[in-house]
Every structure is written in C-alpha cells, then in structure tokens.
Amino acid sequence: LKMSLTEEDDDYIVDSREMSPLPSGDDVSNGVQSANGTPLKQRPDARVPDMQLGRCRYVRLHDNVNYVAAALIVRGNPGEEEVLLIQEAKKKSYGKWYMPAGRVEAGETLDETVHREVLEETGYTCEVVELLGMQVQGSGWYRFAFVANITGGDLKTKPDEESLCAQWFPVKDVKAKKMEMRSSDFIKLVDEAVSYRKNKAIVEIPPLMPVNVNIRGLFVEFMIFKNNLNDSRVEVLVHRSIPDEDALAVHDQPFPTCEFGFEYFFAMVVAKCYKHLLEEGANVVFSPSSIARLKCLPAPMDSLEHGLAVRVACEHKKSSSKGAVRSPSRYHWIPIENPEIRQALRLGKHQYRPSLHML
C-alpha cells in the first residue's frame, strides 16, 4: 500500500486497526525519577505506528534484507592512535586492507557477529563496547559498526579463507590511504571511533547497544527535538497522548513512528515524514545524522521477524522558529526540564549518539 505524504492527512495516516503494535522489549526504569522524586518505571506500552509507506509482509535475513556488522578497534594515546585492519582473502579484494566485518548470519545477534568476525579475521577475542554507527543503503542493506576492545588471543599471521592476516596501522596512515584498501568508505568510521575514545575519557557515556527484540517489519521513529540558542532548554515533538515529560519518560514509543516497505528508500521515508509532521518540513529540521535507539534481532534462524525499528534523532534548526505541527490533533511539542530524562533519551548536552549515514 503506497501512500503519498502530499495528500490530505486522512488519506495517508493509517487507521490503527489496520496495523500491529511494535514490541517494546523489557520493562526498564533507567533510574529516572519524576519531579517529586518518584521512580518512573517504563511501561512496555506498544503504540501502533501512525504513518505507513508500504509494508513488509515479513523480513528474513538473506531473503529480503542484509545486515553487516563491523568492528572499529583503536588503541594508543591521543595523536598516536592505531586501528586494527585485516587483509582480505576474498578473490575480488584479495590482499587489500579493510576493517573486520562480515554478514550477520540468521540466528545471531548483531554483537555476536562482531565477536565471531573479529576472532575469525584477526585472531583476537574482543568485548563489544557500544554501537558506533548505522549505515543504510536503500531499504534492504544495513551496516552496523561497533566500538570494540581486544580482550585476548593473538594477532593473526597465517592466512585462511577468512583473511590473510591482521595488522595495526597508524590512523594517520589510514586517513592518508598509504595502504591498498578494499574501499575507503570505512575511514569516516575510523574518525568516529577516535573521536569516541576522546569523548569517552571526558564524559561518562552510557553505552547504546541494540535491543534484542524481534521486529516484523521496518520502522523508523522520529525523535524531533529543538534546543534553544544556549542549549538550556529542549523541546520534543510527541504524540498528543503524552502530556508531559513524566509520561514521556515511561512510554516506550512516545514519538511519531512510520512503518515502511522495501519499495521506499530509507532517506525517502525521512523526507516524506518530515513533510507530514511539520509545515516547513526539512526547511526547519536537519537531516538525521544520529540514532538514539535500535531494536533488531535476526534470530531464530527461521523467524520472519528479522526487521528493525530505529529511533532517529532529528535536530530542529536553532535559527528557525519552532516548526508548526501539521496535525496538532495528533502531535504537540513538550519541554523536557528533567536532566535525567534528557539523558535517558540521549538528549543531554554533549551526550554521545551513534551516527547515521544514509548512503
């Protein structure tokens, strides 16, 4: 079912009776308290997505969707960092250097793929620290990059079908492309990993990892936020059923959400939904460049629920007046005064969020 976001609201807002709610995952509190000091326990509320651009009858790994998991492993002092690369054994890229990465296999979690690929390609065991970024091409290919640290094993020196060997390279040499690379598309991820290490040393950053829950379809959740000029105040666009920040803190799906099918590219979904949500659309909101939550579980192997639900962080331009809501009966702006709630939503000042790259 294709729906144009330039038509009248009633023509493309799906009736909630036609759609299934998203699973919310485990019941968590995040340690957040209300203004009166009462702990706010998050309810596993499942809201029906309120926008639809096509629909996936099912999502199954290697059938209609592909996931890749990669590891960015950096060591060394600031200015002297080294990154771990592997020398490819594949015929089409034989002898070229790249980050440890590989296809997620059905039945694995995303971080289990990282552990397996790092061991097979580098000889090391590792700990997966945090999601570094998500790259999406079209609507059926996703690569998830993770920050990882070495915990054991030995550097691989003997070739096999997984890789020829592994080697540490100075980051400055990688950025200068002083070795033959399979592709230079990972250099920006190396930059992000180096930046992550620097910021991690300055600010305590709670890790963001995928929520392992099955998703039957593809969903994007829009966390549109607006900071004032000095970042002392933040407002977010939420459903009308969310009256204030306390309700925001306990609801699993408070933000506008769109279900989409493979016929719509991810970037197209973002553009169309911007137009639907705000009168000025992309004129007042930057294209999303980070994510605040990811739900994805490509297991068990025979499941038809290998889809994902990603919460994209969409920053409203500070220089623009607060965007007028196209459907004020559905959505409204609310302020977030509680710093703990801001942090739980990953809206704290200087707080880390994994990057989003729409290729």
Side-chain angles (χ1 to χ4, degrees):
L1 177 63
K2 293 186 179 180
M3 300 183 183
S4 170
L5 293 191
T6 60
E7 299 169 3
E8 294 301 320
D9 283 357
D10 291 342
D11 292 333
Y12 60 83
I13 297 296
V14 174
D15 190 319
S16 62
R17 291 170 296 181
E18 299 175 14
M19 302 176 68
S20 300
L22 278 165
S24 59
D26 295 333
D27 187 22
V28 295
S29 67
N30 293 327
V32 178
Q33 295 183 342
S34 66
N36 62 13
T38 305
L40 295 172
K41 191 173 184 181
Q42 187 173 17
R43 302 189 310 272
D45 292 345
R47 181 187 299 284
V48 171
D50 45 305
M51 294 174 284
Q52 185 178 15
L53 288 166
R55 194 176 190 183
C56 303
R57 290 175 44 246
Y58 67 92
V59 182
R60 184 163 54 194
L61 208 58
H62 309 320
D63 185 343
N64 55 11
V65 73
N66 284 292
Y67 298 146
V68 175
L72 277 299
I73 303 173
V74 178
R75 70 180 186 183
N77 296 322
E80 301 176 347
E81 295 93 346
E82 295 180 314
V83 61
L84 183 62
L85 301 183
I86 61 101
Q87 194 171 32
E88 294 280 8
K90 300 182 183 71
K91 184 177 180 180
K92 64 180 180 180
S93 54
Y94 190 87
K96 298 178 181 179
W97 295 94
Y98 204 59
M99 61 184 172
R103 292 202 313 174
V104 178
E105 299 298 339
E108 292 181 320
T109 63
L110 301 180
D111 60 298
E112 285 173 346
T113 301
V114 175
H115 285 286
R116 175 177 57 79
E117 290 290 343
V118 169
L119 181 60
E120 291 175 351
E121 295 185 343
T122 75
Y124 287 126
T125 58
C126 72
E127 65 166 338
V128 180
V129 178
E130 188 161 9
L131 181 65
L132 180 68
M134 183 183 93
Q135 297 170 303
V136 54
Q137 187 169 29
S139 55
W141 185 91
Y142 300 82
R143 181 164 67 186
F144 306 97
F146 292 85
V147 176
N149 291 328
I150 298 302
T151 57
D154 296 300
L155 185 69
K156 183 175 183 177
T157 56
K158 295 182 179 180
D160 59 24
E161 62 182 7
E162 300 297 337
S163 68
L164 300 180
C165 67
Q167 186 174 325
W168 294 95
F169 286 93
V171 167
K172 61 183 180 180
D173 288 351
V174 174
K175 294 173 69 174
K177 302 179 182 180
K178 290 187 176 181
M179 68 289 301
E180 189 177 11
M181 300 177 182
R182 169 183 160 184
S183 170
S184 61
D185 65 345
F186 72 97
I187 293 179
K188 59 178 171 288
L189 295 175
V190 174
D191 277 334
E192 290 175 8
V194 171
S195 177
Y196 176 91
R197 293 177 84 240
K198 291 178 181 177
N199 293 333
K200 185 74 174 180
I202 298 171
V203 181
E204 184 179 350
I205 304 171
L208 189 154
M209 290 290 288
V211 179
N212 291 323
V213 58
N214 288 124
I215 303 293
R216 193 184 182 101
L218 302 173
F219 301 85
V220 58
E221 193 178 1
F222 293 88
M223 185 175 71
I224 301 177
F225 65 97
K226 187 179 191 307
N227 288 309
N228 63 0
L229 292 176
N230 63 4
D231 293 324
S232 63
R233 178 183 173 85
V234 62
E235 294 180 82
V236 290
L237 186 68
V238 297
H239 285 278
R240 269 288 173 189
S241 60
I242 308 298
D244 54 33
E245 63 179 4
D246 285 351
L248 172 65
V250 299
H251 203 293
D252 185 68
Q253 292 162 225
F255 304 110
T257 303
C258 180
E259 179 178 14
F260 63 100
F262 290 111
E263 65 268 38
Y264 286 94
F265 287 5
F266 193 93
M268 185 189 303
V269 174
V270 171
K272 286 182 174 290
C273 288
Y274 272 13
K275 291 180 181 179
H276 161 57
L277 293 170
L278 298 176
E279 293 284 358
E280 298 296 322
N283 290 329
V284 295
V285 182
F286 292 109
S287 179
S289 60
S290 63
I291 66 176
R293 187 174 70 177
L294 171 67
K295 293 181 179 181
C296 182
L297 179 60
M301 187 178 299
D302 58 353
S303 172
L304 298 178
E305 300 180 347
H306 291 169
L308 57 78
V310 57
R311 178 179 291 175
V312 295
C314 312
E315 184 179 4
H316 192 293
K317 297 176 181 179
K318 291 181 181 180
S319 58
S320 301
S321 299
K322 187 167 59 182
V325 180
R326 281 200 62 202
S327 300
S329 63
R330 295 177 182 271
Y331 317 108
H332 67 145
W333 293 94
I334 63 169
I336 306 177
E337 307 290 349
N338 189 330
E340 292 186 0
I341 295 177
R342 290 189 193 182
Q343 185 177 36
L345 293 171
R346 308 191 81 84
L347 287 173
K349 190 174 183 180
H350 305 308
Q351 192 172 10
Y352 168 78
R353 289 190 299 269
S355 64
L356 170 65
H357 300 281
M358 297 182 288
L359 306 179

